[in-house]
């Protein structure tokens, strides 16, 4: 699941690479809503029946947690900056 952090490599294609006022969800290709749907489907596929490797489910779960943390991180910092 640690390797799911590689999904952040798509940030390198954005200009600027980091923008504190931009939510990565819906902006970067691997953080798009369609990609999140794929990650969600990866969590519920019948891997045994289809003969797929079991670790794909762990990757899907890790990617979903990554998207959740990116989402909450943006809105948490945005809220904290509004208090200052």
């Amino acid at each position: 699941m640690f390797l799911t952090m590689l999904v952040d490599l798509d940030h390198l294609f954005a200009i600027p690479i980091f923008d504190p006022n931009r939510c990565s969800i819906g902006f970067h290709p691997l953080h798009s809503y369609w990609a999140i749907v794929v990650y969600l489907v990866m969590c519920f596929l019948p891997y045994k029946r289809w003969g797929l490797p079991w670790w794909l489910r762990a990757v899907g779960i890790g990617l979903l947690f990554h998207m959740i943390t990116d989402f909450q991180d943006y809105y948490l910092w945005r809220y904290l900056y509004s208090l200052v």
Side-chain angles (χ1 to χ4, degrees):
M1 289 176 71
F2 182 71
L3 292 176
T4 60
M5 300 299 278
L6 293 175
V7 75
D8 276 337
L9 290 176
D10 65 353
H11 289 250
L12 297 175
F13 299 110
I15 297 175
I17 291 174
F18 176 74
D19 183 2
N21 297 317
R22 176 180 65 211
C23 183
S24 61
I25 305 297
F27 185 81
H28 302 291
L30 296 176
H31 291 73
S32 68
Y33 296 110
W34 290 108
I36 294 171
V37 169
V38 171
Y39 306 151
L40 185 65
V41 168
M42 287 174 66
C43 295
F44 296 104
L45 287 177
Y47 289 99
K48 269 190 175 178
R49 187 183 317 160
W50 291 355
L52 296 171
W54 63 269
W55 50 266
L56 286 175
R57 178 170 287 135
V59 170
I61 293 169
L63 289 168
L64 278 179
F65 276 121
H66 183 99
M67 297 304 132
I68 291 168
T69 56
D70 276 0
F71 182 79
Q72 66 88 26
D73 185 46
Y74 170 73
Y75 286 102
L76 174 70
W77 284 111
R78 190 171 171 173
Y79 171 73
L80 290 176
Y81 281 135
S82 70
L83 297 177
V84 176

